[in-house]
């Protein structure tokens, strides 16, 4: 089966800056795929190459099997991009802008019903005849999503779609995104809200300094991080913490401790036995498994996560 996105050996330089270095990523059709990385990792450069706004110095990119250079018309028709920036023309109403965008892809009045459906689905009905200049930031974000979908692309790229939006709009956008995915579209998401990627994405690629440092299923990525947190509440007393446990403490506040434990080398029962032998009573405890944020920090060279990113 043809991948929705096939990126092979892509390089991109800006003078002495090597933005992308031999990037190869395969995005399966129908998947919900996360493209993650710190600022400056090369995510936006890669998206610009996918969408034809920029050319790679070397390598190939194909959308639904169509090369973005040699078969650019087909590639661009198969791709819809929701950009980070609120880019809009203030001289058109919402409906006019969507019909104009539809015309760019060769659609005429036969596509007006789909435009009306997008307007209704994205809760833009009351603003359909309002100039974009007069819309709030959240409404403009909804219009950008409608623009990306107006030509019914098979692959939808969401580049930081919830940056700076309120909680209510964020929830509405993810509900709509899940619907798009359920309808069979391939979704590529970039986000700095890693809890969103963890909740939504099935497979994830992580870029760092222009290189792919991981591409795996979410479950495989989470399994890479061998630590968990153990949070303890101790009975008040003067007994000192055993030396063997002090090195594991990553957070302490009065009689509450957080220990970072290796899943195989630091069994919880051994910690409790050590505390009991030292005469220290535990009144409460809970464990916390590592999430995508800890894995991300570990893979991108940041200091290892401690506790809940303490």
């Amino acid at each position: 089966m043809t991948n929705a996105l096939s990126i092979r050996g892509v390089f991109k330089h800006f003078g002495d800056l090597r933005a992308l270095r031999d990037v190869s990523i395969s995005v399966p059709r129908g998947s919900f795929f996360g493209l993650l990385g710190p600022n400056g990792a090369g995510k936006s450069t890669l998206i610009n190459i996918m969408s034809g706004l920029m050319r790679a110095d070397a390598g190939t990119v194909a959308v639904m099997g169509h090369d973005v250079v040699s078969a650019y018309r087909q590639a661009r028709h198969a791709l819809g991009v929701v950009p980070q920036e609120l880019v809009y023309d203030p001289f058109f109403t919402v409906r006019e802008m969507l019909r104009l965008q539809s015309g760019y892809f060769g659609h005429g009045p036969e596509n007006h019903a789909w435009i009306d459906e997008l307007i209704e689905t994205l809760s833009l009905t009351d603003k359909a005849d309002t100039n974009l200049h007069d819309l709030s930031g959240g409404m403009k974000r909804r219009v950008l999503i409608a623009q990306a979908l107006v030509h019914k692309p098979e692959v939808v790229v969401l580049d930081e779609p919830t940056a700076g939006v309120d909680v209510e709009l964020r929830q509405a956008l993810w509900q709509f995104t899940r619907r798009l995915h359920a309808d069979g579209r391939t979704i590529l998401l970039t986000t700095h809200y890693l809890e969103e990627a963890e909740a939504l994405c099935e497979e994830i690629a992580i870029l760092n300094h222009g290189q792919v440092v991981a591409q795996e299923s979410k479950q495989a990525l989470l399994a890479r991080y061998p630590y968990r947190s153990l949070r303890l509440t101790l009975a008040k007393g003067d007994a000192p913490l055993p030396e063997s446990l002090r090195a594991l403490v990553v957070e302490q506040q009065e009689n509450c401790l957080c220990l970072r434990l290796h899943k195989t080398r630091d069994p919880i029962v051994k910690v409790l036995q050590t505390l009991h032998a030292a005469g220290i009573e535990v009144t409460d405890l809970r464990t916390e498994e590592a999430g995508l944020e800890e894995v991300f920090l570990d893979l991108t060279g940041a200091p290892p996560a401690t506790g809940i990113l303490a």
Side-chain angles (χ1 to χ4, degrees):
M1 180 183 293
T2 303
N3 284 316
L5 287 166
S6 182
I7 301 163
R8 293 287 177 267
V10 170
F11 288 80
K12 184 63 182 178
H13 296 176
F14 298 97
D16 294 332
L17 174 64
R18 297 196 291 175
L20 297 173
R21 297 184 284 174
D22 197 19
V23 170
S24 294
I25 298 172
S26 296
V27 178
R29 292 182 69 171
S31 64
F32 205 128
F33 194 96
L35 179 63
L36 308 181
N39 289 329
K43 304 184 300 296
S44 293
T45 299
L46 188 57
I47 290 172
N48 286 339
I49 291 171
M50 291 178 202
S51 58
L53 295 176
M54 187 181 294
R55 283 203 179 188
D57 296 327
T60 62
V61 176
V63 182
M64 298 301 293
H66 306 297
D67 187 275
V68 297
V69 176
S70 62
Y72 66 91
R73 291 183 184 275
Q74 297 93 324
R76 292 179 192 178
H77 203 284
L79 185 71
V81 179
V82 181
Q84 290 184 42
E85 299 82 9
L86 292 176
V87 181
Y88 62 94
D89 192 323
F91 301 105
F92 292 97
T93 67
V94 172
R95 196 187 310 276
E96 288 169 343
M97 174 55 71
L98 294 180
R99 289 184 177 182
L100 184 65
Q101 183 80 7
S102 177
Y104 288 154
F105 291 91
H107 295 294
E110 82 285 349
N111 205 38
H112 288 180
W114 171 239
I115 291 172
D116 291 341
E117 183 178 343
L118 285 173
I119 288 172
E120 181 178 355
T121 302
L122 287 163
S123 301
L124 289 165
T125 304
D126 292 343
K127 305 294 183 180
D129 298 312
T130 301
N131 277 52
L132 275 77
H133 177 74
D134 298 323
L135 297 181
S136 67
M139 286 296 173
K140 289 172 183 171
R141 180 73 63 187
R142 294 172 193 253
V143 175
L144 289 180
I145 294 173
Q147 281 187 251
L149 297 173
V150 77
H151 59 290
K152 301 180 180 179
E154 296 173 90
V155 183
V156 180
V157 176
L158 304 171
D159 191 6
E160 301 285 352
T162 60
V165 305
D166 61 36
V167 174
E168 183 179 358
L169 177 55
R170 180 175 295 146
Q171 293 298 323
L173 292 179
W174 289 137
Q175 183 179 358
F176 183 62
T177 302
R178 287 189 176 99
R179 174 186 161 184
L180 291 176
H181 183 234
D183 288 342
R185 287 181 173 83
T186 303
I187 307 295
L188 176 70
L189 168 70
T190 77
T191 179
H192 286 296
Y193 300 117
L194 296 185
E195 69 276 10
E196 292 182 344
E198 187 170 349
L200 294 167
C201 298
E202 305 159 341
E203 189 168 347
I204 293 169
I206 298 178
L207 285 178
N208 194 35
H209 299 300
Q211 294 180 299
V212 178
V213 295
Q215 180 183 343
E216 298 180 80
S217 69
K218 178 176 61 184
Q219 289 74 17
L221 271 178
L222 291 174
R224 281 189 178 212
Y225 194 79
Y227 297 98
R228 74 180 72 184
S229 297
L230 175 63
R231 291 190 174 270
L232 300 170
T233 302
L234 308 179
K236 293 185 178 180
D238 297 327
L241 196 68
E243 184 67 31
S244 61
L245 298 184
R246 290 180 190 172
L248 302 178
V249 176
V250 294
E251 187 180 327
Q252 183 170 3
Q253 187 174 5
E254 296 183 352
N255 62 325
C256 297
L257 301 176
C258 179
L259 281 62
R260 179 171 174 263
L261 306 181
H262 193 282
K263 291 181 180 178
T264 56
R265 295 197 303 262
D266 304 315
I268 293 174
V269 65
K270 184 177 179 180
V271 172
L272 298 178
Q273 289 171 346
T274 301
L275 290 169
H276 179 72
I280 299 174
E281 180 184 353
V282 177
T283 61
D284 190 26
L285 67 83
R286 74 176 188 272
T287 60
E288 297 167 351
E289 296 297 325
L292 186 57
E293 194 158 359
E294 288 89 344
V295 178
F296 176 85
L297 292 175
D298 198 45
L299 285 171
T300 55
T306 54
I308 310 179
L309 298 178

